[in-house]
Amino acid sequence: MSDITEALLDTAADLLAAHGFHGLRMIEVAGRAGVSRQTVYNEFGNKEGLVQAVAARKTEEYLSGVATRLRQDPDPWRAMRSAFRFTFERTERDRLVSAVLTGQDAEDLLPFLTIRGHPVLFHATEVVERHLSEHFPGRRVRFAAETTVRLALSHLLMPSSDLDSAMDAVVGVAKATLEAYPAAS
């Protein structure tokens, strides 16, 4: 990815967090990144393309961190706790993701994680499914992976308890769901 593309994505993420989708202006992105408006359009096509590129980059950043943590501990459940802790703690520090989850300053972004959140759900489920498949070969892990990711997203959207309790719930559901589905025949 070029330095210009990186600068445009960083600028767009900051502006999205502050103003939401409807408040994002291509001319402001260009000005803050030090390029022409035409350069922004050449890179992303339109505002939707720019926002999709920001979302794809954020998703990749998160999932890369999750995958790293899933590989760091040989115990699959401790590894999952570590991955979810990373996700929850990073979300607290990430202005754009916080804006998406809370609607603060950017109430029009929540649909990018809820009704238009299929890409996030799909890719996150793949990462968790790969992890579970490595530790539980021959098991039907897809449903456990998707259920776990959906519950983690739910905790991010509407926290109901402290972080440790939320992680216990997510990992506990993963274990129970995996045990409920026998090995593939």
Side-chain angles (χ1 to χ4, degrees):
M1 195 175 299
S2 75
D3 289 344
I4 290 172
T5 303
E6 290 284 337
L8 290 170
L9 291 172
D10 289 342
T11 301
D14 289 343
L15 291 170
L16 280 165
H19 306 295
F21 179 80
H22 295 298
L24 181 68
R25 302 287 176 256
M26 300 295 264
I27 190 78
E28 188 175 5
V29 172
R32 288 194 183 188
V35 300
S36 71
R37 184 172 62 169
Q38 188 59 48
T39 298
V40 181
Y41 282 102
N42 289 346
E43 286 286 322
F44 302 104
N46 56 30
K47 183 164 76 167
E48 290 78 14
L50 175 58
V51 172
Q52 288 174 350
V54 169
R57 181 174 176 224
K58 280 288 181 193
T59 300
E60 176 56 33
E61 288 172 1
Y62 270 78
L63 294 182
S64 176
V66 166
T68 296
R69 281 146 187 90
L70 289 174
R71 290 188 303 267
Q72 288 177 336
D73 194 319
D75 179 271
W77 308 119
R78 281 194 316 256
M80 284 183 74
R81 282 183 61 84
S82 174
F84 288 118
R85 177 176 293 283
F86 161 79
T87 303
F88 283 49
E89 289 176 348
R90 176 152 183 179
T91 297
E92 288 177 3
R93 295 185 313 272
D94 188 313
R95 185 170 177 222
L96 176 58
V97 176
S98 292
V100 169
L101 294 171
T102 65
Q104 184 176 358
D105 299 323
E107 62 278 346
D108 60 350
L109 293 177
L110 186 58
F112 286 96
L113 187 58
T114 56
I115 60 174
R116 288 194 239 159
H118 185 73
V120 173
L121 175 65
F122 178 79
H123 293 298
T125 298
E126 281 184 330
V127 170
V128 174
E129 181 180 18
R130 198 168 24 252
H131 169 71
L132 292 174
S133 293
E134 290 170 7
H135 290 279
F136 304 98
R139 299 295 301 263
R140 295 182 195 161
V141 298
R142 180 72 183 184
F143 182 71
E146 185 175 336
T147 301
T148 302
V149 169
R150 286 180 181 273
L151 181 58
L153 289 172
S154 176
H155 277 284
L156 286 170
L157 285 167
M158 294 185 304
S160 60
S161 57
D162 63 277
L163 177 58
D164 286 323
S165 297
M167 288 186 311
D168 288 343
V170 170
V171 172
V173 166
K175 284 180 181 179
T177 305
L178 191 61
E179 290 170 4
Y181 283 84
S185 51

